[in-house]
Amino acid sequence: MDKIVVKGGRRLEGRVRIGGAKNAVLPVMAACLLTRGVSVIRNVPRLKDVVSMASVLEELGVECGWEGDTVTIDSSRLSRHEAPYELVRKMRASIYVLGPLLASEGKARVSLPGGCAWGPRPVDLHIRAMRELGATVDIDHGYIESEARRLEGGPITFSAPSVGATANTMMAASRAAGRTVISNAAREPEIVALADFLNLMGARVSGAGTDAITIDGVDEMSPAEFRIIPDRIETATYMVAGAITAGQVEIVDCVPEHVESVALKLAQAGVAVEAAGDSILVKGKKALESVDVVTAPYPGFPTDMQAQFMALMTTARGMSTISETVFRDRFTHVPELRRLGADIKLDGSTAQVGYVEKLSGAPVMATDLRASAALVLAGLVAEGETHISRVYHIDRGYEAIEEKLRGLGADIERMPE
Ligand code: UD1
């Protein structure tokens, strides 16, 4: 196992390029199961989660090839319909194969993903939606066992705007008979990207990006070529990196519109954020003001940025209240940030982040993907060395994070533990 060692105190300066969005590429890869043939996906980030999704597809008889940032997916020999526990436990998004397998193969057996480091993550909305499309779904020995002769479209209303359930339903409904209308659908940019890919494959999806998505089922779909959108969470993480070090960072190949909620909070804290075309210039300053944050589904402040923003708030003047409404227990980074000297009180799903003049380096442990990013960010300003262990979490979602931060002037390296 590797650890990351950060020596704090360097002001970040320079330009960083953003890669393709993890949360867009995963459903797009799964959508290739809806047809037979070779699809080509470009701007794919080198991430562990992408490798995990490729393993799930290979388990089904699909061939995945990777050259540069292009992944080819050949589903011609798709022959199996099971996503086993050993693979699903590595990555919850493996459940994305459920909808497309049901639609194209008429059956799917997918291990239940189980919880996360910070608490339960149910998949009831995915299951209910498949049932509403006419599939039989049973839970047996930790597996979702489902079958359908032909899925039938219809109205589906989600009690919460789940990204995963919306994506799974869109994929399944693309090849169902008749029309499906999803109400209270997730509006994330990754949902729009998936709809674009499905439409390139011959599906008829409209309304993605709003809370009502209509899918008119088609009998056949065909392979397609697609370019993955920039990763908005990676974008926002580097915005915070610029802000926390009072640096000046230009973030290129991103979509400023996708990170507006984060830009707004940074601006309120006193950071200058200038967007132009596909780049964002962040100019931090010493002594930021504290701001309050409430996470919410898109276009609200992303839960995937809550931990990193909390790291920023630890040295901002005043008291910041950070409330988590999407994953109410997502606070495993709090004890680790405290080890660096942060003043954080946790009450249910709300954290009160007080001001400390400086953080100081300490050994800490990465507990999940975004929590690890928060610790790296805190390490950038902590006095002395911060040793972050279990960094495999960070490789699930941040491509070459040490190289990118080093390119901006950070003193950061990876070493064996
Ligand atoms: C996706 C993202 C993840 C992000 C999250 C919220 C991917 C691969 N992952 O996760 O990075 O943090 O969106 O933006 O894209 N829920 C249920 N039942 C379900 C499904 C969800 O109750 O069947 C609840 C969840 O507990 C949560 C809320 O709905 O409170 C939103 O979760 P959801 O949008 O489904 O998250 P994921 O798709 O798992």
Side-chain angles (χ1 to χ4, degrees):
M1 265 198 254
D2 288 347
K3 68 176 175 182
I4 283 181
V5 178
V6 192
K7 283 191 197 128
R10 299 260 186 108
R11 180 175 178 268
L12 297 195
E13 214 173 301
R15 172 186 278 209
V16 61
R17 187 192 163 268
I18 298 305
K22 167 179 94 73
N23 288 352
V25 75
L26 300 177
V28 161
M29 289 172 78
C32 296
L33 297 171
L34 286 162
T35 186
R36 300 292 172 107
V38 183
S39 289
V40 179
I41 310 172
R42 303 189 195 283
N43 200 30
V44 177
R46 289 241 163 215
L47 299 173
K48 258 208 197 135
D49 274 10
V50 177
V51 174
S52 296
M53 184 55 91
S55 304
V56 173
L57 297 183
E58 278 159 6
E59 183 69 25
L60 303 169
V62 172
E63 284 169 31
C64 302
W66 203 327
E67 212 182 302
D69 67 357
T70 299
V71 168
T72 49
I73 298 186
D74 183 353
S75 58
S76 316
R77 281 181 285 279
L78 167 61
S79 53
R80 293 183 290 275
H81 58 273
E82 176 171 326
Y85 174 72
E86 304 81 72
L87 295 178
V88 178
R89 76 184 172 90
K90 287 191 187 158
M91 185 188 61
R92 297 177 38 84
S94 309
I95 196 169
Y96 277 145
V97 302
L98 177 66
L101 274 180
L102 258 179
S104 66
E105 299 300 288
K107 56 183 167 183
R109 186 167 190 268
V110 180
S111 171
L112 279 169
C116 227
W118 70 79
R121 289 185 64 178
V123 288
D124 56 308
L125 298 176
H126 300 243
I127 292 172
R128 200 173 307 157
M130 295 308 126
R131 286 193 177 127
E132 287 182 41
L133 291 173
T136 58
V137 186
D138 296 309
I139 308 295
D140 187 34
H141 288 84
Y143 274 79
I144 305 167
E145 313 249 13
S146 56
E147 265 186 51
R149 263 226 250 124
R150 169 108 203 244
L151 296 173
E152 300 272 348
I156 294 181
T157 302
F158 287 128
S159 52
S162 157
V163 175
T166 300
N168 236 334
T169 307
M170 280 162 62
M171 292 188 275
S174 289
R175 286 195 49 190
R179 171 171 285 194
T180 301
V181 179
I182 307 175
S183 303
N184 200 19
R187 296 157 62 188
E188 271 68 3
E190 295 77 23
I191 293 292
V192 178
L194 174 63
D196 289 344
F197 181 59
L198 291 171
N199 287 336
L200 284 172
M201 295 174 84
R204 292 170 61 201
V205 182
S206 59
T210 75
D211 62 1
I213 301 178
T214 302
I215 306 116
D216 285 305
V218 296
D219 292 333
E220 267 188 71
M221 291 170 68
S222 38
E225 281 195 37
F226 190 64
R227 187 176 170 82
I228 296 298
I229 58 169
D231 195 307
R232 64 194 165 95
I233 305 301
E234 188 190 24
T235 303
T237 300
Y238 285 103
M239 289 166 78
V240 172
I244 203 168
T245 61
Q248 176 157 330
V249 174
E250 189 190 7
I251 298 147
V252 298
D253 289 352
C254 64
V255 182
E257 190 195 330
H258 291 171
V259 291
E260 262 174 18
S261 58
V262 179
L264 189 72
K265 287 293 166 188
L266 286 175
Q268 283 172 8
V271 179
V273 182
E274 295 162 21
D278 64 357
S279 71
I280 300 174
L281 182 64
V282 172
K283 291 184 205 161
K285 62 165 198 186
K286 291 230 163 76
L288 295 179
E289 300 299 321
S290 63
V291 289
D292 296 339
V293 165
V294 180
T295 65
Y298 190 84
F301 191 96
T303 172
D304 284 350
M305 278 304 297
Q306 184 253 108
Q308 302 91 312
F309 205 84
M310 189 181 293
L312 177 68
M313 286 296 104
T314 57
T315 56
R317 286 170 199 275
M319 174 73 77
S320 159
T321 302
I322 299 183
S323 303
E324 177 58 68
T325 74
V326 181
F327 295 113
R328 293 187 168 274
D329 304 318
R330 190 176 199 175
F331 289 110
T332 54
H333 44 285
V334 169
E336 302 305 306
L337 287 172
R338 280 190 194 130
R339 293 167 69 80
L340 300 175
D343 169 21
I344 307 171
K345 289 182 187 61
L346 196 54
D347 181 11
S349 52
T350 298
Q352 303 279 357
V353 187
Y355 166 71
V356 292
E357 206 180 304
K358 60 175 172 39
L359 300 175
S360 47
V364 289
M365 197 194 289
T367 46
D368 74 63
L369 169 56
R370 305 303 170 186
S372 348
L375 296 173
V376 170
L377 292 171
L380 291 174
V381 285
E383 206 172 72
E385 284 190 4
T386 298
H387 291 237
I388 305 156
S389 57
R390 299 206 181 165
V391 293
Y392 55 88
H393 287 292
I394 216 162
D395 298 327
R396 287 191 37 224
Y398 289 93
E399 187 176 35
I401 189 163
E402 316 93 86
E403 282 89 339
K404 287 187 180 186
L405 285 173
R406 258 202 307 273
L408 294 171
D411 186 338
I412 177 170
E413 58 182 326
R414 182 182 292 246
M415 52 180 72
E417 211 152 340

